[in-house]
Amino acid sequence: MKNLKNLTKIIISLLILIGSIFIIKIASFESLRNWVNEFGNSAPIVYILLYTILPIFFFPVPIFVLVAGILFGIWNGFIYTMIGCTLNSTIMFYLGRFLGQDFFEKLISKIQPNLKNRLLHSEQKSLFYLFFILRLVPLVSYNLINYVAGFTKISYLNYIITTILGIIPGMLVFLNTGDKSLNTNSSEFIVSIFLLIALVLVSTVFAKIYINRGNDDFDNNSNI
């Protein structure tokens, strides 16, 4: 039974790896936008399905959100993206939990060791705040967070709450940028770019301060 489970893990891991290589080679902003747009009235359903599946193979999520802003506008795009994100995050979370710590620990081996320790050993409250902060930062891989969360102790409920709340600021900014990109000469588009830059800078600095402070607290508690 154990051998069968290990074999299943290997097969799933290989499928994710091969699928990621394939998706990254053929998928792009233009191809995603054109393909979804071809489905007309069914485009929202196709968009949600693609958002549910493609990030499993490390397709860049910001591209999805920009496409949603262009095709559906800010508020419809927000609804469709939130549905797709919730479905996708759920699948990837449980994939990470099934595949286990050993498989994905290598993916965060370059992260500072204290952060790795916090991911593996912190309690629910600390993990809730940590993943919420990570979700706020557009530069942190959405895909990787989904998988990494699966092998921590965070509960699914806490994780999905941090995901839904944490992605809202970035989602709205990216949707707005996509929506305004239909007229790149407009002042609204220029403002959207400044908002995007501000989001990246502010969230990154805030996350770095929080993580560094948390690392110090974690070290102090570990030494007690």
Side-chain angles (χ1 to χ4, degrees):
M1 189 68 179
K2 185 176 180 181
N3 290 335
L4 178 60
K5 185 176 182 180
N6 289 334
L7 178 61
T8 304
K9 288 182 179 181
I10 293 173
I11 293 173
I12 292 176
S13 302
L14 287 174
L15 288 175
I16 292 174
L17 177 61
I18 295 171
S20 298
I21 295 172
F22 178 74
I23 292 297
I24 290 173
K25 282 186 176 182
I26 68 167
S28 66
F29 173 82
E30 290 293 334
S31 62
L32 179 65
R33 183 184 65 178
N34 294 337
W35 199 59
V36 172
N37 198 38
E38 286 178 359
F39 285 86
N41 293 334
S42 299
I45 297 175
V46 173
Y47 173 81
I48 291 171
L49 289 174
L50 290 176
Y51 198 119
T52 301
I53 297 170
L54 290 186
I56 295 173
F57 305 101
F58 289 90
F59 186 87
V61 165
I63 292 179
F64 268 104
V65 188
L66 289 171
V67 167
I70 293 173
L71 297 181
F72 310 120
I74 297 176
W75 301 114
N76 284 338
F78 178 84
I79 294 171
Y80 304 147
T81 300
M82 187 61 75
I83 294 172
C85 174
T86 303
L87 294 173
N88 170 260
S89 295
T90 299
I91 293 172
M92 294 181 72
F93 174 85
Y94 283 111
L95 272 175
R97 186 139 292 182
F98 174 73
L99 293 172
Q101 175 182 332
D102 293 339
F103 177 77
F104 286 106
E105 189 171 2
K106 294 180 181 179
L107 294 179
I108 59 169
S109 60
K110 294 184 180 180
I111 296 177
Q112 37 185 316
N114 286 336
L115 178 56
K116 185 189 295 186
N117 290 333
R118 289 176 66 195
L119 287 170
L120 298 178
H121 303 299
S122 294
E123 299 303 322
Q124 289 296 315
K125 184 177 180 180
S126 297
L127 288 170
F128 182 95
Y129 287 122
L130 178 60
F131 278 104
F132 174 71
I133 295 300
L134 291 175
R135 279 300 193 203
L136 290 174
V137 186
L139 295 181
V140 178
S141 170
Y142 162 93
N143 318 65
L144 187 57
I145 292 175
N146 282 339
Y147 281 130
V148 169
F151 66 76
T152 68
K153 294 180 181 179
I154 192 169
S155 67
Y156 169 73
L157 179 60
N158 281 341
Y159 175 66
I160 206 66
I161 291 174
T162 64
T163 294
I164 292 172
L165 296 179
I167 65 172
I168 288 176
M171 185 189 299
L172 289 175
V173 170
F174 275 94
L175 285 168
N176 182 58
T177 302
D179 182 52
K180 300 302 185 292
S181 67
L182 295 173
N183 184 5
T184 56
N185 294 322
S186 67
S187 59
E188 288 86 356
F189 177 71
I190 296 174
V191 170
S192 72
I193 295 298
F194 277 110
L195 287 174
L196 180 58
I197 295 172
L199 172 69
V200 171
L201 292 177
V202 172
S203 62
T204 301
V205 171
F206 179 68
K208 187 173 183 180
I209 293 172
Y210 175 83
I211 290 173
N212 287 339
R213 186 180 67 179
N215 286 340
D216 293 337
D217 293 341
F218 187 86
D219 287 341
N220 292 334
N221 292 333
S222 299
N223 293 329
I224 294 176

